[in-house]
Amino acid sequence: MTPVLPIQYDFSLQGLNTFGIAAKAKAYLRVTSADMLTQVRSDDFLARLPRLVLGGGSNLLLTRDFAGLVLHMSTSGVEIVAEDAGATYVKAAAGENWHQFVQWTLGQGMGGLENLSLIPGSVGAAPIQNIGAYGVEVKDCFHALTAFDFDTGEIVVLDKAACRFGYRDSLFKHALRDRAVILDVTFALPKNWRAQTQYADVAQELTARAVASPAPQDVADAIIAIRNRKLPDPAKIGNAGSFFKNPVVSADLRDALLASHPNLVSYPQPDGSYKLAAGWLIDQSGWKGKSMGAAGVYEKQALVLVNRGGATGQEIAALANAIQMDVMSRFGVMLEPEPVFI
Ligand code: EPU
């Protein structure tokens, strides 16, 4: 007989979102196997509820209680599944903590993910928004993933091309949104590893540490130090990392902005467009360190919104909206939030 699913009702999500916002789920399930998802799908009541798949809760803004079923991915397991001349293939369960997984690969002597050290969240969430930092994105070491398809009830395997990765973007934010649940991810960690130190912050930190030819762990240590200096620890100050994406604009708009703001921070893109530093736009608009109610803009990085204590999701959303309107009126650029709003 199939065991009854341990559903919990009116479940507090406060400890499960890194903003630390107090909100409840109508129903909650700690998912420890793919079979549980099959069971949810074949249950008349549960299958009809709206679903929210939760990993580390680090890319989520809860503006209200969730009147549906939270599927909290809590699977575990990391293993080396294959090896060839070019790479070692490592599979990790969706529920594994991202940073701990990265540290595990480094402990095994495998480079590739070190620039993504200390990013909050889970392995299963990493491909959804193609997490990235310091010149590396998850797609760079991604091999394949398996996902449970709620439409068909089948488990599917998707390779890199199928996932359609973009800047903080993938198929899971579009066609497979609300449909696929990532079960595990396999990474191809390169044997001919080379340090990615093109970001000035990283190069400077390594120089300061007198590391001339860094090993993967040296790069990780440098990045951990940089992140600790610039970004608030969610365990101490509620936040969801960068709250907005860096906007991509036409060369014409970038040139016009540069004419009126000579110190504009922008990065050329392969297609001729430019990515602007949203943190710079927000900082220049005078928001750094400001607050609206218990929602605030972090003092050391204007792109990060923080919960100064007891903030509601609506307060954070109101602050985000005020910033968007202000940046729009000054620069003609609409900032797009990174987190999922509920
Ligand atoms: N800047 C300011 N004022 C600020 C913040 C930034 O002037 O308050 C300027 C900086 O001086 C710099 C530029 O803006 O010239 C970019 O800042 P930074 O290097 O801190 O990076 P970012 O573009 O703000 C992105 C990612 C981060 C990632 C870093 C490092 C996005 C939305 N954010 O931030 O990712 O860690 O680069 O690679 O792409 C996240 O997505 O949650 C995240 C933390």
Side-chain angles (χ1 to χ4, degrees):
M1 216 182 82
T2 340
V4 175
L5 288 171
I7 304 283
Q8 299 184 63
Y9 292 90
D10 282 324
F11 190 87
S12 169
L13 299 174
Q14 189 162 18
L16 299 181
N17 71 99
T18 58
F19 259 124
I21 284 161
K24 282 190 287 190
K26 176 175 175 174
Y28 167 90
L29 177 63
R30 198 168 169 270
V31 177
T32 51
S33 71
D35 285 352
M36 290 173 110
L37 300 176
T38 308
Q39 263 184 277
V40 166
R41 187 174 177 272
S42 53
D43 182 292
D44 283 347
F45 171 67
L46 297 175
R48 284 198 202 120
L49 292 176
R51 281 186 301 274
L52 170 64
V53 180
L54 191 63
S58 55
N59 194 43
L60 177 67
L61 181 64
L62 292 163
T63 64
R64 55 182 164 85
D65 289 340
F66 182 64
L69 172 64
V70 166
L71 297 171
H72 184 198
M73 299 310 290
S74 308
T75 48
S76 61
V78 175
E79 60 177 321
I80 296 172
V81 288
E83 198 165 346
D84 60 25
T88 308
Y89 298 85
V90 183
K91 182 162 108 173
E96 288 286 341
N97 172 273
W98 175 259
H99 177 65
Q100 281 166 20
F101 167 64
V102 172
Q103 292 303 299
W104 183 89
T105 61
L106 297 171
Q108 300 286 312
M110 297 183 273
L113 298 174
E114 58 283 347
N115 289 40
L116 305 179
S117 292
L118 213 62
I119 296 184
S122 62
V123 166
I128 298 176
Q129 61 156 344
N130 183 25
I131 58 170
Y134 304 102
V136 173
E137 291 180 335
V138 126
K139 73 164 172 44
D140 301 331
C141 287
F142 179 92
H143 179 63
L145 59 74
T146 64
F148 179 80
D149 183 340
F150 258 98
D151 276 14
T152 63
E154 313 233 302
I155 290 176
V156 292
V157 179
L158 298 178
D159 65 11
K160 193 197 285 204
C163 290
R164 306 207 175 196
F165 292 119
Y167 167 59
R168 298 292 190 276
D169 201 29
S170 75
L171 188 67
F172 301 95
K173 287 184 141 189
H174 303 282
L176 292 186
R177 196 190 160 134
D178 297 329
R179 177 170 163 183
V181 179
I182 295 171
L183 298 171
D184 55 62
V185 185
T186 303
F187 299 88
L189 302 175
K191 294 215 168 139
N192 64 341
W193 176 85
R194 288 187 55 201
Q196 302 292 322
T197 56
Q198 66 271 40
Y199 264 54
D201 279 359
V202 181
Q204 278 160 22
E205 180 68 26
L206 287 166
T207 306
R209 291 165 169 250
V211 180
S213 46
Q217 188 68 57
D218 296 323
V219 178
D221 291 346
I223 283 179
I224 290 168
I226 297 166
R227 289 188 72 101
N228 278 333
R229 277 202 298 271
K230 277 197 167 181
L231 298 168
D233 175 358
K236 296 181 188 135
I237 306 173
N239 77 91
S242 298
F243 195 88
F244 298 103
K245 295 185 205 176
N246 284 329
V248 177
V249 302
S250 68
D252 285 351
L253 178 54
R254 179 263 187 183
D255 291 347
L257 288 172
L258 196 60
S260 48
H261 304 85
N263 52 351
L264 178 82
V265 182
S266 66
Y267 315 95
Q269 300 301 294
D271 66 357
S273 61
Y274 281 84
K275 201 184 260 183
L276 305 182
W280 185 90
L281 297 171
I282 298 167
D283 193 352
Q284 291 294 306
S285 306
W287 285 97
K288 202 179 208 167
K290 292 280 164 59
S291 297
M292 270 175 57
V297 180
Y298 191 52
E299 284 69 13
K300 296 180 207 163
Q301 210 326 350
L303 197 47
V304 178
L305 301 191
V306 294
N307 177 355
R308 298 210 190 277
T312 62
Q314 289 184 9
E315 274 178 302
I316 306 273
L319 173 61
N321 190 256
I323 291 170
Q324 279 173 311
M325 295 303 119
D326 194 24
V327 167
M328 181 69 189
S329 70
R330 288 170 196 264
F331 298 99
V333 176
M334 190 60 179
L335 295 179
E336 195 188 323
E338 221 184 80
V340 172
F341 281 50
I342 292 295

